[in-house]
Amino acid sequence: PAVFIQGSSHLQGLVELRLEIGGQGHLCWSDDDLVKLACACPLLERFALHYDGRTYDWSKDQLFGPALEKLLEVCRGLQRLELGLTTRLGLRFFRFVADRAASLRLQSLHIYGAVALETRAGAGVRARLESVLGNRFSTSEEQHRKLLRDILEGRGSVFVPSMEYLCGLGITTGGD
């Protein structure tokens, strides 16, 4: 990520950026990387960051959320934000969005794979996001459930969610 951003004067006018990250040995983006990106691309209107579920490694994911807050502050024109399989995002980021929904220009916040939203505390934050953003907030639960089924069947990544999490989604391993 640092090499991508280094010498970033060419990124200043960028309005759309989609990062589809996967493959063996891929690098995960960190909060520091994303802050640098936000500062390099202040005119961003659309930003997507998706990790490939087949190669995603939870232990390497260093995107916890504060950088996404910075992205929304620096890129004041950001209208669409998509985050796929960013499992380590904490509730702080989602609370930040809910608290500032009226002042943000977000027309679309699409999330899948944010484990924090699937916890008890996360359910309240998720409901609040749905309330303040309405149809501008969406999740791809079916896509996320398929990913988790693939993981359970050994066709997915090394990310292993807790049994409480899987049961909360109604996913079973075929036994009792």
Side-chain angles (χ1 to χ4, degrees), residues 80-139:
R80 292 183 180 198
L81 180 59
E82 296 177 24
L83 302 168
L85 200 58
T86 48
T87 62
R88 298 192 71 181
L89 286 179
L91 289 178
R92 174 183 156 169
F93 166 70
F94 298 109
R95 287 185 184 113
F96 176 89
V97 172
D99 291 345
R100 291 163 181 79
S103 64
L104 297 174
R105 295 194 54 202
L106 272 183
Q107 295 174 2
S108 173
L109 174 60
H110 184 82
I111 305 289
Y112 88 88
V115 176
L117 288 177
E118 304 299 332
T119 63
R120 282 194 189 108
V125 174
R126 182 183 178 130
R128 198 162 148 237
L129 283 168
E130 290 168 348
S131 172
V132 297
L133 292 176
N135 63 0
R136 295 182 297 162
F137 174 67
S138 63
T139 61

Side-chain angles (χ1 to χ4, degrees), residues 11-22:
L11 300 175
Q12 296 257 331
L14 197 64
V15 293
E16 181 168 2
L17 180 60
R18 297 184 64 83
L19 300 172
E20 304 290 338
I21 301 169

Side-chain angles (χ1 to χ4, degrees), residues 41-61:
C41 305
L43 300 178
L44 272 182
E45 295 175 4
R46 295 171 298 281
F47 179 70
L49 173 64
H50 302 136
Y51 286 111
D52 181 339
R54 293 171 302 215
T55 58
Y56 176 75
D57 185 344
W58 184 85
S59 67
K60 292 181 182 176
D61 190 345

Side-chain angles (χ1 to χ4, degrees), residues 24 26 51-59 85 87 146-161:
Q24 293 300 325
H26 73 272
Y51 286 111
D52 181 339
R54 293 171 302 215
T55 58
Y56 176 75
D57 185 344
W58 184 85
S59 67
L85 200 58
T87 62
K146 180 190 178 307
L147 171 70
L148 292 175
R149 282 188 196 99
D150 287 350
I151 290 169
L152 281 172
E153 295 169 8
R155 295 189 314 248
S157 73
V158 297
F159 165 63
V160 180

